[in-house]
Amino acid sequence: MTKIDEITQALHNENADAAWITTPLNVFYFTGYRSEPHERLLAVLITASGEKTLYCPKMEVEEAKASSFDGKIIGYLDTENPFDIEPHTFNKLLIESEHLTVKRQRELTENFNVTEYGDIDQTIKNLRNIKNNDEINNIREAAKLADKCIEIGVDFLKIGVSEREVVNHIENEIKKFGVSEMSFDTMVLFGDHAASPHGTPGDRTLKDNEYVLFDLGVIYNHYCSDMTRTVKFGTPSDKAQEIYNIVLEAETEAIRSIKAGVPLNEIDKIARDIITNAGYGEYFPHRLGHGLGLEEHEYQDVSSTNTNKLEAGMVITIEPGIYVPGVAGVRIEDDILVTKDGYEILTHFEK
């Protein structure tokens, strides 16, 4: 079944007339057209019969036509109400309840004569959860470029360099390899500053004999990578190296357990038990990982409360960490493709 077929099937299951999809990345997922509309309306309407209509600002119509979208395109002026251009009457409409504003829902009710609403969110999450070959290849390339970013950053390390300088160097140099956008704000943290899991790179300068934490990703053909390495600069303290070895063991054993059919909370437990049994449980304050695709954080999460099972075609991160204030912060993260019989590690920079 195609992506559109999956939506129409959901519409039939819910006895709904149409789906109204408005998250820009989800619009791209179903149309091949990507745009950041800001305050303007961007949406794709999919009816139970499979008809597709893209709503976008008139100034974007030509770009939308140049995309892979093969449905109807409705372009509107800033001075127009896009709902007035083509009237509809829908008894039941499925919407992205996690994205649609109350104001836009009121406009739908008034202009499309909607009497009942349902949610399409989980259907879309389930679709995006399983990647096709093209998506996997894009993520694989994004992962290779993330490896290159780490290499660039490590080669630039020297006593006295600041975290912000390393970030700027990585992001400037990776442009030479065709990268125009990072998945998220690049993180480079030195020594005990890395004990803040989501610290902000600043003027902290590198000293000898401490760890450097890199957390970064790039976007390749709209798909993200997300990886973390904590690397030695000189010889860190015995306590810091002990922490590193525990995190590495936790990540290694969690990855080894990955294959289709394994519950996600079991993967989390393997890593968390290793860290807890080593006496650092209170210093591991986040879930083990998350889904990866068009966004750096997407469905599903690898956590102690998620009993869903791994499926072939999922791409997840595994990223245990230990953060001890005043001592060190260590996190190691890889992007993992789930296969029927196991896994493929997509990020390869040495650990």
Side-chain angles (χ1 to χ4, degrees):
M1 296 177 72
T2 67
K3 298 170 185 176
I4 300 298
D5 290 338
E6 295 279 1
I7 294 297
T8 57
Q9 183 62 56
L11 292 170
H12 289 302
N13 292 343
E14 295 286 331
N15 195 28
D17 301 308
W20 180 255
I21 298 168
T22 51
T23 303
L25 281 175
N26 285 337
V27 171
F28 166 75
Y29 186 74
F30 290 104
T31 67
Y33 177 63
R34 184 167 182 175
S35 169
E36 177 45 64
H38 303 290
E39 77 282 1
R40 298 180 177 92
L41 174 71
L42 176 71
V44 60
L45 178 69
I46 302 172
T47 67
S49 63
E51 295 179 356
K52 302 164 290 184
T53 303
L54 175 67
Y55 290 75
C56 68
K58 182 157 284 186
M59 58 185 170
E60 298 183 12
V61 167
E62 291 306 312
E63 284 200 359
K65 287 180 179 178
S67 73
S68 59
F69 182 62
D70 59 357
K72 181 187 294 185
I73 298 173
I74 292 180
Y76 62 90
L77 297 171
D78 287 345
T79 53
E80 291 181 298
N81 179 350
F83 297 103
D84 289 341
I85 297 173
E86 186 173 272
H88 289 284
T89 297
F90 297 125
N91 177 45
K92 185 175 182 180
L93 185 66
L94 301 188
I95 60 172
E96 290 182 274
S97 60
E98 296 177 7
H99 182 260
L100 193 70
T101 64
V102 173
K103 178 179 181 292
R104 284 271 160 81
Q105 185 174 2
R106 287 173 179 161
E107 292 172 339
L108 285 170
T109 301
E110 179 180 344
N111 292 279
F112 285 177
N113 303 299
V114 182
T115 56
E116 182 182 357
Y117 288 96
D119 296 342
I120 197 68
D121 304 79
Q122 192 59 49
T123 297
I124 296 174
K125 287 178 182 178
N126 291 341
L127 277 171
R128 283 179 52 178
N129 186 41
I130 307 299
K131 275 67 179 178
N132 62 31
N133 287 335
D134 286 341
E135 291 177 296
I136 290 168
N137 286 333
N138 285 332
I139 298 172
R140 188 178 281 118
E141 288 300 314
K144 289 179 182 177
L145 289 164
D147 285 329
K148 190 66 179 178
C149 285
I150 303 286
E151 178 186 325
I152 290 168
V154 170
D155 289 345
F156 192 65
L157 296 179
K158 56 191 173 186
I159 292 175
V161 72
S162 73
E163 295 167 335
R164 188 178 290 114
E165 285 174 327
V166 179
V167 169
N168 292 340
H169 180 74
I170 291 170
E171 295 187 351
N172 287 333
E173 289 298 306
I174 198 62
K175 291 177 182 177
K176 297 176 182 177
F177 297 87
V179 173
S180 59
E181 188 176 1
M182 307 301 287
S183 303
F184 51 91
D185 291 342
T186 299
M187 187 186 303
V188 177
L189 303 174
F190 298 156
D192 57 354
H193 192 197
S196 176
H198 275 178
T200 301
D203 295 328
R204 165 71 150 85
T205 57
L206 184 60
K207 306 168 188 174
D208 201 7
N209 302 323
E210 59 183 2
Y211 278 112
V212 178
L213 188 151
F214 297 87
D215 188 351
L216 51 79
V218 307
I219 296 176
Y220 178 85
N221 281 351
H222 308 287
Y223 284 82
C224 297
S225 54
D226 179 6
M227 71 178 294
T228 307
R229 288 293 185 270
T230 306
V231 303
K232 285 182 178 182
F233 185 77
T235 305
S237 69
D238 290 345
K239 176 61 78 173
Q241 292 189 63
E242 173 191 300
I243 290 170
Y244 182 92
N245 290 333
I246 294 166
V247 172
L248 180 58
E249 179 187 1
E251 199 223 15
T252 300
E253 294 306 316
I255 291 174
R256 283 177 179 167
S257 67
I258 290 175
K259 67 177 179 179
V262 176
L264 285 150
N265 62 344
E266 288 188 12
I267 309 296
D268 182 282
K269 186 176 187 302
I270 288 168
R272 200 165 301 277
D273 283 352
I274 289 171
I275 291 173
T276 299
N277 291 339
Y280 290 96
E282 65 180 297
Y283 301 108
F284 180 18
H286 55 76
R287 63 191 177 185
L288 181 63
H290 52 80
L292 183 69
L294 287 172
E295 297 169 278
E296 75 274 13
H297 283 197
E298 61 179 46
Y299 183 79
Q300 301 186 48
D301 67 313
V302 187
S303 71
S304 60
T305 59
N306 190 354
T307 58
N308 293 339
K309 294 180 179 179
L310 292 168
E311 299 178 64
M314 290 172 58
V315 179
I316 60 173
T317 69
I318 298 295
E319 49 179 302
I322 296 175
Y323 315 92
V324 182
V327 179
V330 174
R331 183 168 61 253
I332 306 172
E333 175 185 18
D334 283 292
D335 301 340
I336 312 293
L337 169 66
V338 181
T339 63
K340 181 179 178 181
D341 300 316
Y343 59 87
E344 177 188 344
I345 301 176
L346 305 179
T347 38
H348 298 291
F349 193 87
E350 63 184 357
K351 291 177 278 191

